[in-house]
């Protein structure tokens, strides 16, 4: 599914973030930046050991913030590493932190002249954020950002599996008609 926001494209696809040909892909990292499972493990496997060495040198990233590295063996030239919140009960600032993770990633893309960005569904795997809520929030933040930042030409959400894709598709219809 694809919609246009001003001149920019917002796209939902089902697939694997590591094979995307956008200028940057976003990693759902943890605060240590030292690698983990899920998206993070897949990105480090595909990018090669130089990525982990650079992440170790960076030394970490607080929840809700982001940092940028090269993509090494990936098709994407850059990896934007961001840390979403661990979901507890929704009363510990999770929504603010998740919005901040998306916004910080987009800000870094803008600053570095990155015109196309692929996101995974941040925090909805090991970090336990309910995916329907996370999807609405993520899409709202991205739509607002694209409305103000025409320099980002494409944001693609790469959803892992059909259920995740369907959830994002429903959420996008809800957000656009709200
Ligand atoms: P977090 O720790 O932020 O929850 P995870 O990596 O555990 O991050 O999961 C985030 C989401 O990414 C989950 O919905 C998971 O199904 C999905 N995912 C896992 N591997 C991939 C991949 N290779 N490409 C895209 N999405 C993925």
């Amino acid at each position: 599914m694809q919609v246009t926001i001003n001149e920019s494209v917002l796209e939902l696809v089902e697939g694997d973030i590591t094979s995307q040909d956008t200028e940057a892909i976003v990693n759902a990292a943890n605060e240590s930046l030292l690698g983990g499972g899920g998206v993070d493990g897949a990105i480090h496997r595909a990018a090669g050991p130089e990525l982990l060495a650079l992440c170790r040198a960076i030394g970490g990233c607080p929840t809700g913030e982001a940092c940028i590295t090269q993509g090494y063996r990936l098709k994407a030239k850059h990896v934007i590493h961001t840390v979403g919140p661990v979901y507890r009960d929704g009363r510990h600032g999770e929504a603010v932190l998740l919005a901040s993770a998306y916004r910080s990633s987009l800000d870094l893309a803008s600053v570095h002249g990155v015109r196309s960005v692929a996101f995974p569904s941040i925090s909805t795997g090991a970090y336990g954020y309910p995916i329907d809520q996370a999807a609405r929030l993520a899409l709202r933040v991205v739509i607002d950002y694209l409305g103000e930042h025409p320099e980002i030409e494409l944001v693609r959400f790469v959803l892992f599996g059909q259920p995740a894709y369907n959830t994002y598709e429903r959420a996008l219809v809800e957000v656009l008609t709200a």
Side-chain angles (χ1 to χ4, degrees):
M1 183 179 186
Q2 213 181 59
V3 295
T4 54
I5 313 291
N6 294 344
E7 304 280 286
S8 307
V9 173
L10 169 60
E11 187 173 59
L12 309 181
V13 303
E14 199 257 305
D16 181 347
I17 191 98
T18 63
S19 57
Q20 302 303 310
D21 58 2
T22 43
E23 291 177 1
I25 64 173
V26 177
N27 183 14
N30 57 49
E31 284 191 331
S32 76
L33 295 182
L34 292 183
V39 174
D40 197 282
I43 288 176
H44 279 284
R45 275 193 300 278
E50 296 91 342
L51 182 61
L52 193 57
L54 182 53
C55 285
R56 192 170 289 125
I58 292 169
C61 175
T63 301
E65 296 184 21
C67 69
I68 189 165
T69 65
Q70 291 160 255
Y72 297 101
R73 293 178 207 167
L74 295 164
K75 282 186 201 158
K77 190 170 173 217
H78 308 276
V79 179
I80 295 172
H81 306 261
T82 191
V83 184
V86 175
Y87 189 87
R88 288 164 69 187
D89 55 6
R91 296 176 187 181
H92 288 81
E94 292 95 332
V96 170
L97 289 167
L98 187 60
S100 172
Y102 280 98
R103 219 171 282 120
S104 304
S105 301
L106 291 164
D107 279 336
L108 267 185
S110 290
V111 165
H112 289 265
V114 170
R115 289 162 301 182
S116 57
V117 185
F119 279 99
S121 180
I122 295 165
S123 280
T124 63
Y127 281 3
Y129 208 116
I131 190 167
D132 51 335
Q133 293 175 37
R136 283 195 297 271
L137 187 150
L139 291 164
R140 234 178 261 126
V141 169
V142 168
I143 288 168
D144 287 351
Y145 193 90
L146 292 178
E148 296 163 3
H149 294 269
E151 71 276 11
I152 307 284
E153 296 168 8
L154 169 68
V155 171
R156 178 184 295 156
F157 280 89
V158 182
L159 292 324
F160 205 55
Q162 198 63 42
Y165 177 85
N166 292 342
T167 300
Y168 268 73
E169 195 174 59
R170 272 196 304 275
L172 182 54
V173 172
E174 280 177 36
V175 168
L176 291 173
T177 55

